[in-house]
Amino acid sequence: MPQSLELAIKTSSLTKQFGSQKAVSSIDLSVPKGSVFGFLGPNGSGKTTTIRMILGLAAASKGEIELLGHPIPKELEHALPKVGALVEGPAFYPYMSGRNNLIRIDSADRNSTASTRKKRVDAALERVGLTNAAKKKVHAYSLGMKQRLGLANALLKPREILILDEPTNGLDPQGTREVRNLIRSLAAEGITIFVSSHLLSEIEQLCSHLAVMTAGKIVAQGSLAELRNESQTRLVLKADRIDELVDLLKTQGLTKLSLKPDRVVVPVPSDFDVASLNQLLVKKKFMVSEIRLEQPSLEEYFVNLTGEGFEVVR
Amino acid sequence: MFAKSLSLSLMLSELRVMFTRRRTWAMLAAIALIPILLAVAVALTSDQLAPGEGPPFLDRVTQNGLFTGFTATLLALPLFLPLTMAVVAGDTIAGEASLGTLRYLLIAPVGRLRLLVVKYLGTIVFALAGTFTLMLAGGIIGAILFPIGPVTLLSGDQISLAESIGRMALVAVYTAISMSGLLAIGLFVSTLTTVPVGAMAATVVLAGVSQILDNLPQLSWLHEWLFTHYWLSFADLLRQPIELGSFASNSLLQLGYIAVFGALAYSRFTTKDILS
């Protein structure tokens, strides 16, 4: 089986240029089928533009897109019925009820069956917990309710993939947890989930895969385990007679060490044998007060890749 | 195949959205108000009005209430009717874009051409609703305030009550057709922007410009190509035997505008990046 059939989304050298600025710069995304794929990046990094191109809302300046095996935009109409999406926040007709809004969008899809429409709309509303507000006009909805209605819209039909752009935006902690649970239960049904966020903590517990985007480029991509491995394990050591300690470590091949006021930090392979080193130190009569291996958190890794702070990158 | 791709359920949904809006009803109510104001004003001052004074047909209103609708059409044509049409046509794509619902319709997927066609047909339905509202309100208020009976036409012949109601319907259809070119222009303008008010304003300005050009004798070669040129020629439908020449010319001209601006709207909308 060609590899592209096992990928729900595949882009190669995908580029979007607005004037002289490259909003998206030659990215290669590979989203495996059945994965929960976190698409991470600070605001303005090009995530939404990428999603717009995948969904055929905007044309790519360069590069190719395959969505569920269909080249985009050529076979867009074949791919989209299998895709549920939330793009850049929910959007509805404020003067219509939540339920009528969903009926409206479902009527727009020529592939959807009119006879099951009401049932499917009610089921989607139920799934996101909006049954009681179904008849309220959307202008009376809170942002969180609109976000849920947007999710209900994505769930109007059985989908193969859900593309969710910042699905927890504007939700309170409880709503965030509910959305997370919803995503988990959908993923358990085998639906591929592509979820973007600017906060790692929002999606870290959900995702099986991750891509990190910054300033239009993808700087890391892979399964969570792969990405964790990419981050360098460190040995942290606290003891007396620092100078002698440094000499000793050098004899052990640990040369790239950095000296902090009260401890030594050395990058080491992830299978480094701490116990033997400890034994050696004790034998040489060092007073060891701390010795441990440290794995930088994904958060730290993410911040290393994307930079920190509020500064707009470009 | 064509019927399926146009899909009745999308058309009905479009009309439901349009007629759920209070704005649509407010505009229809305002349209209905024109013949009502006109009839009341005439009724209150009818003894002071010399024959032939005021706009054409005005003096006939007192003789036969059924003329109220025709006179009101004449009054509404230069500005008010095009204004409501510009609101509806300018809103088609730009309105959906500014709400953000456009992106959800497109990923439904609705199909860009299909959406454009349904949007245009929706504006035509509104035009018919508007012109029939005008006639109906005119007929009703005329019947209340003035005598009605067989209508004396512009040619001097008399037609029966039933036939004159037929002529009213015909004028309403004629006026809706007159609006169809403007609606196509509005649809095109609406694909250019995400600010509906801008599209509405541009459309109504174009209607005004076209009428001004139509009044400059130096540009007489241009007149028959202007989409407003035959707007007032509905009067030809009020002759006996009925004069259908301007009906045909008008329809042909409007079809030309629909073709040109429909094609422009299509080429613009199907290649446009939806970034709202």
Side-chain angles (χ1 to χ4, degrees):
Chain A
M1 195 188 277
Q3 200 201 4
S4 63
L5 283 182
E6 289 155 21
L7 291 177
I9 301 174
K10 180 176 191 282
T11 74
S12 31
S13 323
L14 183 62
T15 302
K16 181 70 187 182
Q17 194 144 5
F18 293 115
S20 64
Q21 191 175 60
K22 277 187 177 166
V24 174
S25 181
S26 196
I27 67 170
D28 301 305
L29 268 178
S30 300
V31 179
K33 276 196 176 162
S35 64
V36 178
F37 195 100
F39 192 34
L40 210 54
N43 293 325
S45 56
K47 301 189 302 287
T48 300
T49 306
T50 306
I51 290 174
R52 283 180 187 282
M53 286 190 283
I54 292 171
L55 293 171
L57 289 173
S61 307
K62 237 186 270 164
E64 267 123 57
I65 306 168
E66 258 180 49
L67 178 55
L68 300 169
H70 298 285
I72 301 296
K74 210 172 138 216
E75 294 180 11
L76 189 65
E77 303 252 326
H78 296 285
L80 284 181
K82 297 181 269 186
V83 180
L86 188 64
V87 193
E88 203 165 35
F92 296 100
Y93 306 92
Y95 46 86
M96 281 172 34
S97 72
R99 193 161 181 275
N100 284 343
N101 263 290
L102 294 188
I103 289 176
R104 157 74 167 165
I105 297 174
D106 195 64
S107 312
D109 178 0
R110 95 182 70 174
N111 308 284
S112 75
T113 324
S115 57
T116 59
R117 181 163 296 141
K118 290 202 163 136
K119 222 199 245 165
R120 285 182 291 114
V121 164
D122 288 337
L125 285 167
E126 167 108 53
R127 182 134 206 196
V128 299
L130 275 182
T131 306
N132 290 330
K135 287 187 179 154
K136 253 197 212 171
K137 288 189 176 164
V138 168
H139 72 72
Y141 276 30
S142 67
L143 180 55
M145 287 162 83
K146 285 182 194 157
Q147 195 75 282
R148 286 158 187 250
L149 192 61
L151 283 168
N153 172 43
L155 298 173
L156 280 175
K157 293 208 282 186
R159 312 285 195 185
E160 287 181 29
I161 183 171
L162 289 179
I163 297 180
L164 306 174
D165 189 13
E166 309 262 1
T168 53
N169 237 1
L171 293 184
D172 51 23
Q174 194 195 340
T176 305
R177 203 161 51 234
E178 280 170 26
V179 166
R180 240 184 254 149
N181 289 337
L182 182 64
I183 290 178
R184 256 190 217 114
S185 72
L186 290 164
E189 291 168 23
I191 304 172
T192 310
I193 315 246
F194 183 82
V195 53
S196 85
S197 180
H198 60 280
L199 286 174
L200 177 69
S201 54
E202 296 262 291
I203 55 174
E204 188 180 0
Q205 310 134 321
L206 282 178
C207 296
S208 62
H209 292 70
L210 212 57
V212 181
M213 191 163 188
T214 180
K217 293 198 178 71
I218 288 191
V219 288
Q221 178 171 210
S223 71
L224 229 48
E226 282 167 353
L227 290 177
R228 285 219 171 89
N229 279 342
E230 256 172 57
S231 57
Q232 181 72 57
T233 310
R234 298 171 298 208
L235 169 71
V236 179
L237 195 57
K238 227 187 244 183
D240 62 344
R241 295 185 286 142
I242 289 282
D243 294 341
E244 284 176 53
L245 180 67
V246 168
D247 290 337
L248 178 74
L249 288 176
K250 278 183 178 157
T251 65
Q252 300 297 308
L254 301 174
T255 50
K256 283 201 289 184
L257 43 78
S258 55
L259 279 173
K260 303 277 157 71
D262 61 335
R263 65 208 152 102
V264 182
V265 179
V266 202
V268 293
S270 56
D271 56 352
F272 184 79
D273 188 352
V274 196
S276 316
L277 179 68
N278 191 30
Q279 203 176 25
L280 180 68
L281 292 175
V282 172
K283 217 189 312 174
K284 301 268 183 191
K285 300 264 187 311
F286 281 97
M287 302 287 281
V288 179
S289 55
E290 186 177 349
I291 179 164
R292 64 187 163 90
L293 284 182
E294 190 181 79
Q295 188 81 46
S297 67
L298 268 182
E299 184 81 52
E300 208 176 318
Y301 180 58
F302 174 54
V303 169
N304 271 338
L305 289 171
T306 59
E308 207 164 1
F310 291 110
E311 206 65 39
V312 172
V313 188
R314 15 165 222 171
Chain B
M1 167 75 192
F2 192 62
K4 197 201 166 198
S5 66
L6 276 184
S7 135
L8 193 64
S9 98
L10 176 60
M11 191 66 229
L12 290 177
S13 153
E14 179 61 30
L15 294 179
R16 204 170 299 135
V17 171
M18 183 185 282
F19 287 100
T20 307
R21 291 195 83 158
R22 249 181 257 154
R23 189 181 73 191
T24 309
W25 291 104
M27 288 196 298
L28 289 178
I31 288 175
L33 216 53
I34 297 174
I36 294 172
L37 286 176
L38 170 87
V40 170
V42 169
L44 292 177
T45 60
S46 57
D47 42 342
Q48 306 157 15
L49 199 69
E53 197 184 336
F57 313 160
L58 195 59
D59 54 336
R60 287 170 187 261
V61 170
T62 49
Q63 296 153 27
N64 194 326
L66 289 182
F67 257 95
T68 314
F70 301 133
T71 315
T73 302
L74 206 61
L75 290 179
L77 264 173
L79 180 65
F80 196 76
L81 216 46
L83 186 68
T84 59
M85 298 301 142
V87 168
V88 170
D91 198 48
T92 45
I93 301 297
E96 299 275 1
S98 80
L99 277 180
T101 42
L102 182 57
R103 61 179 183 267
Y104 286 106
L105 290 175
L106 291 180
I107 60 183
V110 68
R112 295 194 186 200
L113 173 60
R114 185 163 161 261
L115 181 64
L116 213 52
V117 171
V118 165
K119 279 286 176 190
Y120 183 68
L121 291 178
T123 65
I124 295 287
V125 170
F126 177 78
L128 285 166
T131 56
F132 273 90
T133 299
L134 195 62
M135 274 307 165
L136 203 66
I140 291 170
I141 191 71
I144 294 172
L145 294 179
F146 307 109
I148 55 168
V151 170
T152 308
L153 292 172
L154 302 181
S155 52
D157 302 270
Q158 272 210 341
I159 54 170
S160 68
L161 190 64
E163 203 183 341
S164 46
I165 289 173
R167 295 288 171 101
M168 287 167 73
L170 205 56
V171 168
V173 170
Y174 181 96
T175 309
I177 291 174
S178 292
M179 294 297 124
S180 62
L182 177 65
L183 291 171
I185 294 172
L187 181 74
F188 167 60
V189 176
S190 192
T191 61
L192 301 177
T193 172
T194 57
V195 185
V197 176
M200 295 171 191
T203 308
V204 85
V205 164
L206 287 173
V209 168
S210 176
Q211 292 180 73
I212 290 167
L213 295 179
D214 204 16
N215 277 316
L216 297 178
Q218 291 83 351
L219 297 173
S220 56
W221 53 272
L222 183 68
H223 290 173
E224 57 181 323
W225 302 103
L226 296 169
F227 63 92
T228 54
H229 184 66
Y230 295 102
W231 279 11
L232 297 177
S233 307
F234 73 85
D236 289 351
L237 299 173
L238 303 178
R239 297 181 201 284
Q240 191 75 336
I242 191 164
E243 171 74 60
L244 287 172
S246 47
F247 194 104
S249 316
N250 186 31
S251 303
L252 206 62
L253 178 70
Q254 301 299 335
L255 269 179
Y257 273 90
I258 293 170
V260 170
F261 285 92
L264 284 173
Y266 171 78
S267 70
R268 167 68 184 164
F269 186 54
T270 49
T271 54
K272 186 185 186 184
D273 280 353
I274 308 302
L275 299 173
S276 60

